[in-house]
């Protein structure tokens, strides 16, 4: 006489298929999340550059002043910036006075002012962020160097660690 034996549970093949499907889905999620993080960092850089540009213009308009001949670096509040009164005065025009490290003001040989992001010493500056910045360069006015763009020399950002934005 034959007995009907009902097995409960899953076979090894079924378990392996489920594990492979979960692995493929998680790999797809990891790829899309790194793209989103890179895009968000690039948007953050562009936003901070615009805000610093606006803050500098507001400071200049209110004080009929220009930044001195020397460069000054925007640093985090933990660094020793007690003597940097110009930096503090400009950052008061922003809602966020603790801008991320890497943002600086610079003056070129023609006495034109730029705000720029120097990502060479910042761990988040990687190829994916640079790719996103290159994609936004023409629409946001990002420059490759502290040279004023002209029709014959557009100077649009095409990669690298430093991204410039002309102040005025």
């Amino acid at each position: 006489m034959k007995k009907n034996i009902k097995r409960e549970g899953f076979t090894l093949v079924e378990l392996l298929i489920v594990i492979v499907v979960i692995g493929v889905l998680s790999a797809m999620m990891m790829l899309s999340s790194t793209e989103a993080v890179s895009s968000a960092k690039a948007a953050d850089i562009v936003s901070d550059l615009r805000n610093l540009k606006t803050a500098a213009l507001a400071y200049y308009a209110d004080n009929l002043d220009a930044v001195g001949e020397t460069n000054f670096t925007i640093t985090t509040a933990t660094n020793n910036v007690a003597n940097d009164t110009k930096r503090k005065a400009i950052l008061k025009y922003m809602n966020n006075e603790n801008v991320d490290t890497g943002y600086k003001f610079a003056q070129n040989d023609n006495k034109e002012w730029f705000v720029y992001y120097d990502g060479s010493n910042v761990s988040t500056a990687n190829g994916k962020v640079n790719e996103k910045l290159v994609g936004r360069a023409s629409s946001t006015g990002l420059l490759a160097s502290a040279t004023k763009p002209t029709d014959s020399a557009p100077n649009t950002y095409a990669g690298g660690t430093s991204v410039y934005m002309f102040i005025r």
Side-chain angles (χ1 to χ4, degrees):
M1 183 181 239
K2 282 187 171 183
K3 291 183 180 180
N4 274 344
I5 301 175
K6 286 189 175 183
R7 288 185 297 158
E8 293 184 21
F10 298 104
T11 65
L12 182 61
V13 173
E14 291 170 333
L15 288 174
L16 287 175
I17 290 173
V18 168
I19 290 171
V20 167
V21 168
I22 290 172
V24 168
L25 291 174
S26 65
M28 289 172 36
M29 287 298 296
M30 292 296 287
L31 289 175
S32 66
S33 67
T34 55
E35 286 291 320
V37 168
S38 299
S39 184
K41 180 62 181 172
D44 191 36
I45 290 171
V46 171
S47 175
D48 283 343
L49 287 172
R50 282 184 179 162
N51 288 339
L52 289 168
K53 174 183 174 178
T54 303
L57 288 172
Y59 173 79
Y60 298 150
D62 284 352
N63 297 292
L64 299 174
D65 188 14
V67 180
E69 292 294 320
T70 59
N71 294 349
F72 63 96
T73 304
I74 296 170
T75 55
T76 58
T78 58
N79 293 337
N80 184 12
V81 292
N83 296 328
D84 195 353
T85 57
K86 189 81 71 168
R87 178 198 71 86
K88 288 180 181 178
I90 290 176
L91 290 182
K92 284 184 181 178
Y93 286 87
M94 295 180 64
N95 287 337
N96 180 9
E97 291 188 21
N98 296 321
V99 179
D100 190 18
T101 303
Y103 295 94
K104 301 177 182 180
F105 288 94
Q107 190 177 39
N108 63 14
D109 295 338
N110 297 329
K111 305 295 183 197
E112 298 163 330
W113 281 97
F114 291 82
V115 60
Y116 71 99
Y117 176 74
D118 181 11
S120 59
N121 295 326
V122 181
S123 62
T124 56
N126 59 34
K128 294 288 185 188
V129 174
N130 289 343
E131 287 176 18
K132 301 294 182 186
L133 288 171
V134 168
R136 298 168 188 224
S138 61
S139 63
T140 58
L142 297 178
L143 304 174
S145 66
T147 305
K148 191 172 183 180
T150 62
D151 291 336
S152 60
N155 191 22
T156 304
Y157 177 75
T161 56
S162 294
V163 183
Y164 293 80
M165 188 174 281
F166 185 60
I167 290 181
R168 45 177 160 150

